[in-house]
Amino acid sequence: MISPVSDKPSASYIGSLARSPMSSRTLLSTVMSVVAVLCGFLTLLPLIAVLSYVIIRGGSSLNLNLFTELPPPPLSQKGGIGNAIIGTLFMVGIGGLISIPFGVLAAIYLTEFSSGKLSRWIRFATNVLSGVPSIIAGVFAYGIVVARMGGFSAVAGGFALSILMLPIIVRTADEALQLVSQDLRTAAVGLGATNFQTVALVVVPAAVPAIVTGATLAIARAAGETAPLLFTALFSQYWPRDVFGPTASLAVLVYNFAISPFKNWQSLAWAASLILVLLVLLTSVIARVATSRTVR
């Protein structure tokens, strides 16, 4: 008699999709996860250390007088860095007024109007300019502006900073314009818009948040530059009266006061460092907010 064949699988063939905790693949995955977490922590460690040290050393010197008074003489317990804050805003503003319009217009030309070969050469030149040391930009601005104007000035400092800001703005604006959907351009042309109207009324407004991100990142870099300003704006212990004379800046103040033997100047250098860090943090937050709006 033939026994009926059972439809149930044999117990020897019943298995599980769960991976054994002692398998080589599981162990390798666990080890690599731990290594990735450690690498991420080590990447953040220098930033955390720098921020903590600057906050500890500079936070104790923060007060209202810091923003409203001039740098004090040696050994004085009063004084502030108000002139350096205003001078930094002046020179970064001048650099932005020069570099942002030129950078955005150059990016529009690269994306919308240039030929393939010419655009590749311009992008190559922009990449080369972004790698030029900042001190070279300062020497160039000294020869072009300071030597011709006959003196150091905020205008010369802003011109030097614009050289450093320009490639950042061109690259970010170029990428932002390329990310705008081609369907928007096609739809605008289909509705009868000219090429200029399409760029001005459709493409550029769609890329504005990303362009703002690039501008804020360029401002953050320019605000912390020291070498170009040593060759162009130098320094001043007084309030800036106009943009055609020597002008104080936070970066140069940190450089001058940090290496001085006077304790009050060293504390002001730490306070100026903290303000610079907060300025960079503020611009980074603005860039982050603009980017999030772009994604939405």
Side-chain angles (χ1 to χ4, degrees), residues 139-272:
V139 173
F140 174 76
Y142 177 87
I144 297 297
V145 182
V146 177
R148 296 181 181 274
M149 294 180 60
F152 302 98
S153 64
V155 173
F159 177 76
L161 295 181
S162 69
I163 298 174
L164 301 176
M165 297 169 65
L166 185 61
I168 300 176
I169 296 173
V170 173
R171 293 174 63 183
T172 53
D174 183 22
E175 294 175 0
L177 292 171
Q178 291 184 35
L179 290 176
V180 176
S181 175
Q182 189 64 32
D183 294 339
L184 292 177
R185 297 177 175 86
T186 304
V189 173
L191 291 174
T194 64
N195 195 13
F196 176 79
Q197 291 174 332
T198 301
V199 173
L201 302 178
V202 177
V203 178
V204 173
V208 162
I211 294 174
V212 171
T213 300
T216 53
L217 293 177
I219 290 172
R221 182 196 173 182
E225 289 293 342
T226 305
L229 301 183
L230 290 173
F231 284 92
T232 53
L234 201 60
F235 192 74
S236 174
Q237 294 283 352
Y238 306 101
W239 294 104
R241 297 180 179 178
D242 53 51
V243 295
F244 299 103
T247 306
S249 62
L250 288 172
V252 178
L253 184 142
V254 171
Y255 172 77
N256 290 335
F257 285 13
I259 60 177
S260 69
F262 307 109
K263 295 296 183 181
N264 64 325
W265 282 9
Q266 293 177 5
S267 63
L268 287 178
W270 282 112

Side-chain angles (χ1 to χ4, degrees), residues 2-20:
I2 302 175
S3 61
V5 178
S6 176
D7 294 336
K8 297 183 179 180
S10 175
S12 61
Y13 293 98
I14 298 177
S16 175
L17 296 177
R19 187 178 296 172
S20 173

Side-chain angles (χ1 to χ4, degrees), residues 209-210 213 286-296:
T213 300
I286 294 174
R288 186 70 178 178
V289 171
T291 304
S292 63
R293 290 182 179 179
T294 304
V295 174
R296 290 177 186 177

Side-chain angles (χ1 to χ4, degrees), residues 86-168:
I86 295 177
T88 299
L89 295 177
F90 275 176
M91 288 183 281
V92 172
I94 293 172
L97 289 176
I98 297 174
S99 61
I100 292 176
F102 281 99
V104 173
L105 290 175
I108 292 174
Y109 172 76
L110 288 174
T111 307
E112 306 295 333
F113 300 104
S114 68
S115 62
K117 185 175 182 180
L118 181 59
S119 62
R120 286 195 298 269
W121 279 106
I122 296 178
R123 290 187 176 99
F124 174 76
T126 302
N127 293 332
V128 172
L129 182 60
S130 64
V132 172
S134 59
I135 193 170
I136 303 300
V139 173
F140 174 76
Y142 177 87
I144 297 297
V145 182
V146 177
R148 296 181 181 274
M149 294 180 60
F152 302 98
S153 64
V155 173
F159 177 76
L161 295 181
S162 69
I163 298 174
L164 301 176
M165 297 169 65
L166 185 61
I168 300 176

